[in-house]
Amino acid sequence: MPRLDDSRMTHAPAPHRSSLWQRLREHVLHDVLAPSHASGREMLQLLLPSGRSANIRPYIAGAITARVQLLSLVFALLVPLWAVLDLLLFEPALGLRLAGLRLASGAVFCMLVWPFPPALRHPYRQALTLLVAMLMVPPLFYLASLNFVHYASPGLSEGQRLLLHIYALLPTLSLAGLAIFPLSALETMLIATPIIAIAVFGASLSGESHRLVGYGPSLWFMAMMVGVAAFSGMGQLHYMETLMRAATLDALTGARTRRAGTEELQRLWQLAEAEDRDLGVAFFDLDHFKRINDTWGHERGDAALRMLTRQLGRSLRPTDLLVRWGGEEFIAVLPDMPASAQAEFVQRLVREGFGTHPDGTPVTVSIGLAERRADRLRNWEELVDLADHRMYAAKQAGRHRALLCDGRMLLLEPHLHGRQPHAERRKAAAGSGTPVA
């Protein structure tokens, strides 16, 4: 019988530990956490609020404010009604004091329901203030009730003891309420810290904190509630930011959509009008866009739009806003940029350039600029319309030009940042004929 040669036998290699770990990691990221797929940078933003985009903050603030007002409305109705139990279970003097606390708490909830206009400059800070005010009412009610009744008094009836135990759970109720708000982990921890401190202080006043066996489970339960609230808030925050990016950013270029840009422009106009600040708009139109599509195809046309967006983004400040207004038209919203700074802004655009065509020739644009105070405009619609009108005037003057508020027409050539001949400036100031495509 022939013998088998062991040296010629092949064995399947054992799976490497690192490959198993990689498969487990991919399974968790793509199957367990799907469809969130948070990157490392996004995870950091979910842990810390500092890295969150300023463009997303107003929308998150609106969601937080709406939920605060809804819960406050419910509590404004239910909290005063609970005073009936206080009056029935306690002697009249103590019952009236607890009922007074409930009416005061209901008044605070009523104030939070009031339709506050959103803050123009810091809407997110306003939303967090409302949230903290609402969540602090239950633990402060519990702390104030300790001045009227001793929770460990042996003379309490079963009904009274049950009601007071419910009051002792009010800080935990606030911790549970944190779970319905889109917050970062750090924000959840910071808001929860004073609530837990009030609960521990109240327990020390009532004598419960000295009994670890009795109060230890309560502390453990509150810690678990904070963990659940942090995880829930991070999940809501990530989903909300993902949905808002999809809804507010143009899929092709990454600029703001017209609807999202209009909402932000309206808010910036209200802020500029309230504080009498400068607010400018630059209207861009990609020259000969139809020729690009006809000559090199629509894919090259899309590439030209993406390149233009990237080049404009390099020249804009962090506070500026780039919006795809429609087709090959874009607007840049320029807060706190006076009319006197428009020429320098255009020079910065020219230095960065607007991209190149497949044949190496430079992409050109026509630009119209307007400014709220210099042009004495009444609303943001007039601001955009005037910038649009001046952009068409720049096209009529020969394209690849920018028409400023003061009537100057600048030719957008590298190293030619000065004023154009007086005849061209005079033509630009008076130019208002039929729009040129």
Side-chain angles (χ1 to χ4, degrees):
M1 185 175 179
R3 299 176 61 185
L4 294 177
D5 186 359
D6 293 341
S7 63
R8 302 178 63 181
M9 294 180 64
T10 59
H11 299 276
H16 197 269
R17 183 174 297 177
S18 61
S19 63
L20 288 176
W21 171 252
Q22 185 69 19
R23 290 173 58 188
L24 178 61
R25 178 178 178 273
E26 292 179 356
H27 168 66
V28 172
L29 292 178
H30 296 89
D31 299 329
V32 178
L33 298 181
S36 61
H37 296 168
S39 63
R41 181 180 179 183
E42 290 173 335
M43 285 300 299
L44 183 61
Q45 293 175 354
L46 296 178
L47 294 172
L48 305 174
S50 57
R52 190 175 306 154
S53 172
N55 299 330
I56 302 295
R57 284 178 178 267
Y59 298 101
I60 300 177
I64 293 175
T65 302
R67 296 178 187 183
V68 166
Q69 292 182 332
L70 176 61
L71 289 177
S72 297
L73 176 61
V74 173
F75 287 131
L77 298 175
L78 295 182
V79 169
L81 293 178
W82 195 271
V84 176
L85 293 178
D86 296 327
L87 296 173
L88 291 176
L89 294 178
F90 295 100
E91 58 271 14
L94 178 57
L96 288 174
R97 290 179 180 179
L98 293 175
L101 281 179
R102 290 195 168 278
L103 292 178
S105 301
V108 174
F109 287 126
C110 288
M111 291 175 59
L112 294 175
V113 176
W114 188 264
F116 294 99
L120 297 176
R121 184 166 293 277
H122 300 293
Y124 188 74
R125 187 180 303 174
Q126 180 191 49
L128 286 183
T129 302
L130 295 175
L131 173 60
V132 171
M134 181 194 70
L135 293 177
M136 291 302 293
V137 172
L140 289 177
F141 175 88
Y142 160 65
L143 192 62
S145 67
L146 293 173
N147 295 322
F148 304 143
V149 59
H150 185 53
Y151 279 43
S153 175
L156 296 175
S157 66
E158 290 297 324
Q160 293 172 342
R161 198 179 301 276
L162 174 62
L163 192 58
L164 293 177
H165 278 306
I166 293 176
Y167 289 170
L169 293 176
L170 290 177
T172 308
L173 175 65
S174 292
L175 295 177
L178 274 172
I180 67 173
F181 293 96
L183 301 171
S184 66
L186 180 60
E187 289 170 326
T188 301
M189 298 282 291
L190 291 177
I191 297 175
T193 298
I195 298 176
I196 296 177
I198 290 176
V200 174
F201 181 68
S204 66
L205 293 179
S206 61
E208 296 182 5
S209 62
H210 300 293
R211 297 183 293 108
L212 182 61
V213 176
Y215 196 67
S218 298
L219 285 176
W220 176 86
F221 185 70
M222 285 190 287
M224 292 300 100
M225 291 301 301
V226 174
V228 171
F231 186 82
S232 175
M234 291 169 61
Q236 293 180 69
L237 185 61
H238 179 61
Y239 275 100
M240 185 174 294
E241 290 185 345
T242 302
L243 293 175
M244 291 311 304
R245 288 193 189 99
T248 60
L249 298 182
D250 178 61
L252 176 63
T253 64
R256 287 289 193 95
T257 62
R258 180 164 180 168
R259 178 178 179 179
T262 298
E263 293 177 355
E264 185 65 13
L265 177 56
Q266 184 177 5
R267 186 187 70 85
L268 290 173
W269 176 274
Q270 293 173 349
L271 178 62
E273 196 171 39
E275 301 181 359
D276 194 24
R277 306 172 73 95
D278 297 306
L279 180 65
V281 161
F283 205 114
F284 302 88
D285 185 88
L286 184 61
D287 293 333
H288 305 296
F289 182 67
K290 185 176 183 301
R291 184 185 303 174
I292 297 175
N293 287 329
D294 294 342
T295 304
W296 293 291
H298 290 278
E299 290 186 1
R300 293 293 186 179
D302 293 344
L305 293 175
R306 288 193 294 266
M307 184 180 299
L308 176 61
T309 304
R310 288 195 300 269
Q311 295 301 111
L312 293 178
R314 293 176 179 176
S315 300
L316 297 178
R317 304 164 300 174
T319 55
D320 297 336
L321 181 69
L322 184 62
V323 183
R324 187 180 183 188
W325 204 246
E328 70 275 21
E329 295 179 339
F330 296 82
I331 69 168
V333 185
L334 311 169
D336 298 320
M337 180 179 289
S340 58
Q342 290 181 349
E344 181 182 354
F345 170 66
V346 172
Q347 292 172 13
R348 191 163 65 246
L349 293 171
V350 172
R351 285 194 296 268
E352 292 292 341
F354 305 102
T356 57
H357 295 301
D359 61 357
T361 58
V363 171
T364 63
V365 298
S366 300
I367 310 174
L369 295 102
E371 201 280 316
R372 185 188 74 88
R373 294 202 296 181
D375 292 309
R376 299 181 180 179
L377 302 174
R378 294 172 297 179
N379 50 58
W380 67 266
E381 292 92 341
E382 291 185 357
L383 181 66
V384 175
D385 289 342
L386 183 56
D388 186 19
H389 179 82
R390 287 174 177 164
M391 181 273 295
Y392 278 115
K395 276 187 173 294
Q396 289 179 329
R399 293 185 174 87
H400 197 33
R401 286 163 171 78
L403 179 55
L404 308 184
C405 287
D406 57 7
R408 286 184 293 165
M409 184 79 75
L410 302 184
L411 182 62
L412 306 183
E413 293 289 350
H415 312 301
L416 292 177
H417 307 314
R419 296 172 178 168
Q420 298 308 305
H422 182 71
E424 186 170 359
R425 296 203 311 272
R426 185 172 61 249
K427 176 182 177 181
S432 59
T434 304
V436 181

